[in-house]
Amino acid sequence: METEHENNMETFLKDILKDFEIEENKIVETTISKLMQNAKVNDLEKSMHSIKKQVLEIFNMYRDKEEFKEKYIAIPNANAKKEYQYSFNTGEFPNIVIREIKNLDIAGLQFDHEKSCITGTPMMANTIDIQIVFYNRNDKNATDDIKIIPFVVNADPKDLWIDKPSDKGSRFAKSDTATLSAKFLDKKIVIASKRGRSHAHAGTFRDDDFHLLELPDNWAVVAVADGAGSAQYARMGSKIATEYITKSFDDTEVLQQLSEHIIDFFSEHSVKDPEKTEPQNTIDDIPQENKDKNENLDEDYRLQKKSAIINILYKNVRNLHHELKNFAGQENIPIKDLNTTIIFALIKKFDFGYVVLSFGVGDCPINIMTDQHEKVQLLNFLDVGDVGGATRFITMGEIFSSPDMGARFGINCFEDFSKLFLMTDGIYDPKFLVESKLENIDNWKEFLRDLDGENEELVKVDFEEDSDIEAQLLHWMDFWSKGNHDDRTLAIIY
């Protein structure tokens, strides 16, 4: 039986004869059989095999380099002002060694030879051709070759927005930002309002506004408004709305009436004769047979007090609408040019707790957090919906005849509270997305963490060391949220 070596020798000899066109015959076959035993021929065959192997190794070395050059490598785009890292898949080409990558410095990036990865933080958008300098580890000369790959650094979306100054000579001109920090009853308040990127890009005005006022009889009020982007003079509408509604409560007599009604409304177990102003007996003094009647009387009395409270609030809100209507007439403009939402919180601390009277038209929420940030409650009715045009404005006369008008007023009492927020949809939309999340404590805890610096920009609003809190809140408001570029206003009582 022929060995593998003999087979290889025979094939080797026949290939040589074929190369020289020597036809096979009996004599040739006999000659081949004798040559297979020839030591010199055996040595030559081994040398030829070694040479072929060396040639094959060189071939594979060059083929690896060409395959690497031709291989499509999808290096992900970098983003300006964001940390970047990309590692090459060295397992696919184990013999290829990347020595360096040229032109990366143009993009503000570096190549780590040991880890075979690109790292860094590019600062601006760019499109470059990076040159990957590589060699094959089987090449004794380590001859360099170059692979060229296009590389893109995407622009920071913020950099695409122009910040045009608004025309201070325009009618009803308004500043692009506004901030305030002050005492609020026995607590503190910080407010910031910032022109949205969409307005900055067009060089138009901030349509949001706010106003804060300390009032007689230990009351305080804060109002926030979001002027409609589609209304030509919404910036003036929001300014009038916030200033008028807060100043409308600057009436000692009215506030004292409110205080009396509220004390009566929140008094427990009081039964009063609607025709008298002094309290009658307590529940414990009333015979059992009269309790049902008196409980009904108590509820009726509370309803009367609730109506009295709402009527005072309603009168001022109604007057606000008339103020906007009169202003539009004086300026000879349609009232819809002043379209604006409005929310306000009128607050006083009583012996039994903080009473918060609230009102809202539009899609701006008022939320209060209690029990050391463990509970949250939405204090106003929101005009939101799945269809366009769901938002309502205080300039719309029809809201006063709407069946839901009464639901817009809130009367709440809290033993204490951690924070109270009023915000426009420039904050609400990107941070809460939908109305249901406004009463989800987990969403609010996430919002608090965001304010505490757990955000992409690492901007913190410090409620403890609050000497610079206005600037901090304004800076925090510059957060990026894709598709959300509206004015932003946030008031926080803390």
Side-chain angles (χ1 to χ4, degrees):
M1 179 177 291
E2 290 185 345
T3 64
E4 182 179 354
H5 174 69
E6 290 173 338
N7 286 334
N8 290 340
M9 277 294 298
E10 184 177 1
T11 301
F12 170 70
L13 292 169
K14 286 184 176 181
D15 286 344
I16 292 175
L17 296 176
K18 189 181 293 183
D19 288 343
F20 289 93
E21 297 181 352
I22 298 174
E23 295 183 1
E24 292 189 36
N25 54 42
K26 187 176 182 180
I27 293 173
V28 169
E29 288 178 359
T30 301
T31 304
I32 288 173
S33 64
K34 290 182 178 180
L35 285 174
M36 289 172 64
Q37 307 304 319
N38 185 280
K40 186 175 182 179
V41 172
N42 269 272
D43 289 342
L44 289 170
E45 188 273 334
K46 289 179 182 178
S47 296
M48 288 296 295
H49 180 74
S50 176
I51 291 170
K52 285 182 179 180
K53 188 176 180 181
Q54 292 178 47
V55 171
L56 183 61
E57 288 175 352
I58 295 171
F59 169 80
N60 286 334
M61 183 178 68
Y62 276 82
R63 183 178 65 178
D64 283 353
K65 292 175 73 174
E66 291 303 315
E67 285 182 345
F68 182 74
K69 285 178 72 173
E70 294 298 322
K71 173 71 175 180
Y72 173 70
I73 299 177
I75 299 181
N77 294 348
N79 294 307
K81 300 177 185 176
K82 290 189 177 181
E83 186 176 354
Y84 181 83
Q85 180 170 328
Y86 171 77
S87 298
F88 288 91
N89 180 10
T90 56
E92 188 174 1
F93 295 95
N95 294 321
I96 297 299
V97 179
I98 300 175
R99 190 189 303 277
E100 64 173 318
I101 300 180
K102 295 181 178 181
N103 294 340
L104 272 180
D105 57 326
I106 298 174
L109 299 171
Q110 308 83 37
F111 176 68
D112 187 324
H113 171 76
E114 296 296 327
K115 297 180 180 179
S116 195
C117 68
I118 299 173
T119 60
T121 303
M123 296 310 296
M124 62 181 65
N126 213 330
T127 300
I128 59 175
D129 285 335
I130 59 174
Q131 298 181 7
I132 300 177
V133 181
F134 68 96
Y135 64 91
N136 191 301
R137 66 176 71 252
N138 295 321
D139 183 359
K140 293 180 180 179
N141 297 320
T143 306
D144 286 341
D145 210 333
I146 293 177
K147 176 182 179 67
I148 297 176
I149 297 179
F151 184 75
V152 176
V153 179
N154 296 323
D156 182 343
K158 294 180 185 178
D159 293 339
L160 300 177
W161 291 88
I162 302 170
D163 190 3
K164 290 183 182 178
S166 52
D167 183 2
K168 303 309 178 187
S170 291
R171 194 178 187 188
F172 312 134
K174 179 185 285 188
S175 63
D176 297 337
T177 62
T179 61
L180 179 148
S181 60
K183 290 184 61 178
F184 192 95
L185 303 178
D186 59 344
K187 295 181 180 288
K188 297 179 181 180
I189 187 169
V190 59
I191 314 175
S193 185
K194 184 178 183 67
R195 182 175 67 157
R197 289 188 178 89
S198 55
H199 284 171
H201 193 76
T204 53
F205 292 96
R206 172 173 57 98
D207 286 328
D208 281 7
D209 220 315
F210 66 84
H211 202 256
L212 170 72
L213 198 61
E214 289 187 39
L215 299 168
D217 197 33
N218 298 315
W219 286 90
V221 62
V222 57
V224 168
D226 177 8
S230 58
Q232 185 176 3
Y233 300 118
R235 59 186 180 275
M236 193 59 185
S238 62
K239 177 179 173 64
I240 293 171
T242 53
E243 290 187 4
Y244 182 89
I245 199 65
T246 53
K247 292 176 181 179
S248 70
F249 290 108
D250 192 6
D251 186 317
T252 301
E253 183 179 348
V254 169
L255 291 173
Q256 287 175 347
Q257 289 177 12
L258 263 180
S259 295
E260 292 171 4
H261 293 319
I262 285 167
I263 290 170
D264 292 342
F265 180 75
F266 284 107
S267 293
E268 295 183 3
H269 308 307
S270 65
V271 178
K272 293 199 175 186
D273 185 336
E275 300 297 323
K276 298 181 180 180
T277 58
E278 295 300 323
Q280 304 297 306
N281 299 325
T282 64
I283 289 288
D284 292 335
D285 298 328
I286 300 173
Q288 179 64 44
E289 60 269 22
N290 293 329
K291 280 189 177 181
D292 290 342
K293 178 179 178 180
N294 287 330
E295 285 174 0
N296 290 334
L297 181 61
D298 184 39
E299 186 60 30
D300 289 343
Y301 186 77
R302 282 173 56 82
L303 286 174
Q304 289 180 19
K305 289 300 175 180
K306 180 179 180 180
S307 295
I309 295 167
I310 291 178
N311 283 340
I312 291 174
L313 303 180
Y314 176 86
K315 179 181 177 182
N316 287 4
V317 170
R318 183 73 184 183
N319 288 342
L320 167 59
H321 173 78
H322 289 309
E323 176 72 10
L324 289 162
K325 190 174 181 180
N326 292 338
F327 182 84
Q330 292 168 9
E331 296 293 329
N332 196 27
I333 59 175
I335 191 172
K336 65 181 180 64
D337 281 357
L338 299 172
N339 277 356
T340 182
T341 67
I342 180 72
I343 54 174
F344 69 78
L346 179 62
I347 308 174
K348 179 177 178 177
K349 184 180 181 182
F350 292 83
D351 292 340
F352 48 86
Y354 293 87
V355 170
V356 182
L357 307 180
S358 55
F359 173 80
V361 172
D363 55 358
C364 300
I366 307 171
N367 276 80
I368 193 166
M369 298 190 77
T370 58
D371 294 358
Q372 298 301 312
H373 302 134
E374 290 300 322
K375 291 183 180 179
V376 66
Q377 184 178 335
L378 178 65
L379 299 183
N380 65 310
F381 176 93
L382 291 187
D383 293 289
V384 295
D386 297 327
V387 295
T391 297
R392 316 304 291 166
F393 304 108
I394 192 65
T395 42
M396 296 176 172
E398 60 266 26
I399 67 169
F400 294 94
S401 58
S402 174
D404 63 16
M405 186 60 186
R408 296 182 181 278
F409 297 92
I411 306 173
N412 290 278
C413 182
F414 304 92
E415 184 177 347
D416 197 0
F417 65 91
S418 308
K419 288 184 176 67
L420 190 147
F421 302 84
L422 298 89
M423 66 180 72
T424 60
D425 60 358
I427 303 291
Y428 157 57
D429 284 342
K431 295 300 183 181
F432 293 92
L433 305 178
V434 293
E435 183 182 0
S436 60
K437 291 187 176 182
L438 287 170
E439 293 196 275
N440 184 308
I441 190 61
D442 291 333
N443 290 115
W444 276 97
K445 286 182 177 181
E446 181 181 348
F447 184 68
L448 290 180
R449 289 193 295 270
D450 191 330
L451 286 169
D452 196 40
E454 292 185 26
N455 50 64
E456 189 174 332
E457 295 80 12
L458 303 178
V459 178
K460 178 178 180 177
V461 181
D462 194 337
F463 294 97
E464 298 296 330
E465 298 294 331
D466 56 2
S467 59
D468 196 35
I469 196 167
E470 291 179 45
Q472 291 173 357
L473 183 57
L474 191 66
H475 188 194
W476 177 87
M477 281 182 159
D478 200 34
F479 62 82
W480 176 260
S481 176
K482 185 178 180 180
N484 293 296
H485 309 298
D486 201 0
D487 294 344
R488 294 168 177 172
T489 301
L490 177 60
I492 308 172
I493 302 171
Y494 63 100

